[in-house]
Amino acid sequence: MEKRRTNLANGIEILIAEDSPTQAEQLKHYLSARGYSVRMTIDGRQALAAALENKPDMVITDIVMPEMDGYELCKEIKSLKTLKDTPVVLLTSLSRPQDILKGLECGADSFIRKPYDEKYLASRVEYILTNQALRKTEQLQVGVQLQFGGQAHFITAEKQQMLDLLISTYEGAVQINEELETKQRELARERDLLHTLMDNVPDFIHFKDTAGRFTTINRALARAVGISTPEDALGETDFDYFAEAYAQRTLADEQEVLRTGEPLVGKVEEVHLRNKVSVWISTTKMVIRDLDGKIMGTFGVSRDITEAKHCEQELRLAKENLESRVAERTSELAQANEQLQIELAERKRAEEQVRNLNEDLEHRVVERTTQLAAANEELEAFSYSVSHDLRTPLRHIGGFAHKLMEEHCSNLAPDAQRQLEYISGGAEKMGVMIDSLLNLARLDRHQIAAKMTPLNSLVEDVIEDLRSETDARKIEWHISSLPSINCDPGLLQQAFANLLSNAVKYTRRREHAVIEVDRTTINGESVIYVRDNGAGFDPKGADNLFGVFQRLHTAEEFEGTGIGLATVRRIIRKHGGRVWAEAEPDQGATFYFTLSE
């Protein structure tokens, strides 16, 4: 079937006269898709010129066009001998019987009713082209005078033309009837849907005529007014269901809407029903018009807002209560503010006194600091002088004692020999203490020469220096990876030397000594520590451990001067850090220190 249609369309040219670009493109698309050759023109005059230039197999023309309409174009084509047998199809809505009579008057071969679909358009074109041979053999014309609508119409058309027009008209009528039935079914569905929606919404919906009589209400309104079905309200008014005052107001509102045509939107009021029930509603009303725009009545929707109204009243009461509490609280705050202002004034005076005291204190601190600095300088100078001056007599004492021992030892009694040994040992110990004091005094005058220094190299140098004391012992060293820091390497090596030599000394009685150097973090601060498993000490004396000549062990237990840890504290302080120790008797000791970044 499709192949036969394609064969029929081959070589067929259709001329189209259509002033609407959209309609023209649609026609061209439909026909070209079927294999027809299509020429386009935009009005009757242009189409006639195109037909005279090259005779088409068919002309499809719109009726309403500028210059020359479709009826005139058809008449011109049918009046010309060369074009008379060309079938002309009119595109029309067929909204009036006059359209058919005018088509017959101008000699049109068929109608295609607007709007059309592709299938219907193709069937009409096929039908006309198929029956074209019959129309060419038909020569008899019929002349008929008709009166219609007060006008005379003279019809001169071939029988086949009239038959085609009648068939196309009938087909158009059948199509219109089918469309009407379809629309009626759609309207019925929409009506059912509307009634379903109306009957299932909680709002009160009604339709009224211009006299205020109900024509339709929904089930929610029927329940509200106390009737079993919505149909029971037909022909009734508000006066039949509501208090008279409310009914009067609604009637006045509806008459105003009917008079002005303007809607009433969101009117809030309290309604008293016949059963004494009181509700609050928000109502919107508007006019209903027919297809010609004539007012038929009113449509209204009322929403039950009783709960919202009660909430509004509760909110209003809450707001009033809140405003009262706010006013009360504001008064309290005002009083508190006054008291605060008094307190602030007093505090300001106190701050002024404190500031004056601070200034006085700062002045005294500066003055006292200056005095202490001068005293320290004098003390250091005195210590250095005393220590230096003591060296000569100590050398004499030690030297003479040593000479007596060498030259007269055989002539001295044993007690005298022991006493000379005590004198010589005491002089030697005093010399060591004086040297330590001199070194401690020099520390305060030493200027920090800081540079980036790897701490592991300092520790390794100290361990190497202690090798003469540790080679004969079993010592397990645990030296972790230490950071490189900005410090005075000479001073910090001396601090490590004092700490590690103490660890070696106080683990002397351990068969297996363990000495550890590592780092940790305490309260977010990087800390270096030296730990041993030696003799330890009583933690009660930890605070005094870093003072000059402070010792927690006797000289018989462990030799020493009590200056080594004081030296460590001064070195660490000069680097902006602090040092402390933790220990238990016979459980070893740990010495911690920090350095500024």
Side-chain angles (χ1 to χ4, degrees), residues 271-342:
V271 181
H272 298 281
L273 304 177
R274 291 290 189 184
N275 58 5
K276 307 300 183 183
V277 175
S278 176
V279 296
W280 284 88
I281 59 172
S282 173
T283 301
T284 295
K285 295 182 179 181
M286 61 192 70
V287 296
I288 306 171
R289 301 179 186 271
D290 60 16
L291 294 176
D292 296 326
K294 182 181 177 181
I295 294 177
M296 300 171 56
T298 59
F299 161 73
V301 179
S302 298
R303 174 160 294 181
D304 186 347
I305 59 170
T306 304
E307 185 176 349
K309 198 69 177 177
H310 290 163
C311 290
E312 181 183 334
Q313 291 172 349
E314 291 175 2
L315 285 173
R316 185 172 64 253
L317 292 175
K319 180 182 177 183
E320 291 173 356
N321 182 39
L322 180 61
E323 289 175 348
S324 174
R325 293 173 64 185
V326 167
E328 180 181 346
R329 185 58 179 159
T330 302
S331 176
E332 293 175 356
L333 288 174
Q335 295 176 2
N337 187 53
E338 292 178 3
Q339 182 63 31
L340 180 61
Q341 294 298 326
I342 295 172

Side-chain angles (χ1 to χ4, degrees), residues 83-337:
L83 298 175
K84 183 177 182 179
D85 60 342
T86 302
V88 179
V89 180
L90 300 177
L91 297 174
T92 176
S93 61
L94 281 180
S95 59
R96 302 176 303 160
Q98 287 86 344
D99 294 339
I100 300 173
L101 294 174
K102 286 185 178 181
L104 289 170
E105 279 185 315
C106 69
D109 293 89
S110 185
F111 290 108
I112 294 179
R113 191 179 66 84
K114 291 182 179 181
Y116 50 83
D117 59 22
E118 182 179 1
K119 185 176 180 181
Y120 175 70
L121 174 69
S123 67
R124 292 307 305 155
V125 171
E126 267 186 48
Y127 175 82
I128 294 167
L129 291 173
T130 303
N131 291 280
Q132 188 174 9
L134 178 60
R135 289 197 298 276
K136 287 182 179 179
T137 59
E138 185 72 54
Q139 299 296 324
L140 181 62
Q141 290 187 344
V142 179
V144 180
Q145 175 113 6
L146 294 177
Q147 291 287 333
F148 187 85
Q151 291 184 346
H153 299 273
F154 186 73
I155 309 301
T156 59
E158 297 174 357
K159 289 187 293 182
Q160 186 62 38
Q161 283 180 306
M162 288 190 288
L163 180 60
D164 288 345
L165 281 172
L166 290 174
I167 290 173
S168 64
T169 303
Y170 176 75
E171 287 180 346
V174 170
Q175 187 179 7
I176 290 172
N177 186 58
E178 291 175 351
E179 291 174 356
L180 286 174
E181 289 179 353
T182 301
K183 289 185 181 298
Q184 285 177 343
R185 287 193 296 271
E186 291 175 353
L187 285 173
R189 284 196 299 269
E190 291 177 359
R191 184 173 60 252
D192 293 341
L193 176 60
L194 177 61
H195 281 292
T196 301
L197 290 173
M198 286 177 57
D199 288 340
N200 287 278
V201 297
D203 296 340
F204 308 141
I205 301 175
H206 69 264
F207 294 83
K208 294 181 181 179
D209 60 19
T210 54
R213 294 185 293 264
F214 291 113
T215 58
T216 302
I217 68 170
N218 69 339
R219 293 191 182 279
L221 182 54
R223 287 193 296 268
V225 298
I227 58 177
S228 57
T229 64
E231 289 74 15
D232 293 340
L234 299 182
E236 303 289 324
T237 68
D238 287 333
F239 290 94
D240 297 306
Y241 302 111
F242 301 102
E244 184 173 356
Y246 172 74
Q248 289 286 359
R249 291 197 303 272
T250 59
L251 180 60
D253 290 341
E254 289 161 4
Q255 292 302 314
E256 180 67 15
V257 170
L258 291 170
R259 185 184 65 81
T260 63
E262 296 294 326
L264 172 72
V265 180
K267 181 178 181 180
V268 177
E269 54 189 337
E270 188 176 16
V271 181
H272 298 281
L273 304 177
R274 291 290 189 184
N275 58 5
K276 307 300 183 183
V277 175
S278 176
V279 296
W280 284 88
I281 59 172
S282 173
T283 301
T284 295
K285 295 182 179 181
M286 61 192 70
V287 296
I288 306 171
R289 301 179 186 271
D290 60 16
L291 294 176
D292 296 326
K294 182 181 177 181
I295 294 177
M296 300 171 56
T298 59
F299 161 73
V301 179
S302 298
R303 174 160 294 181
D304 186 347
I305 59 170
T306 304
E307 185 176 349
K309 198 69 177 177
H310 290 163
C311 290
E312 181 183 334
Q313 291 172 349
E314 291 175 2
L315 285 173
R316 185 172 64 253
L317 292 175
K319 180 182 177 183
E320 291 173 356
N321 182 39
L322 180 61
E323 289 175 348
S324 174
R325 293 173 64 185
V326 167
E328 180 181 346
R329 185 58 179 159
T330 302
S331 176
E332 293 175 356
L333 288 174
Q335 295 176 2
N337 187 53

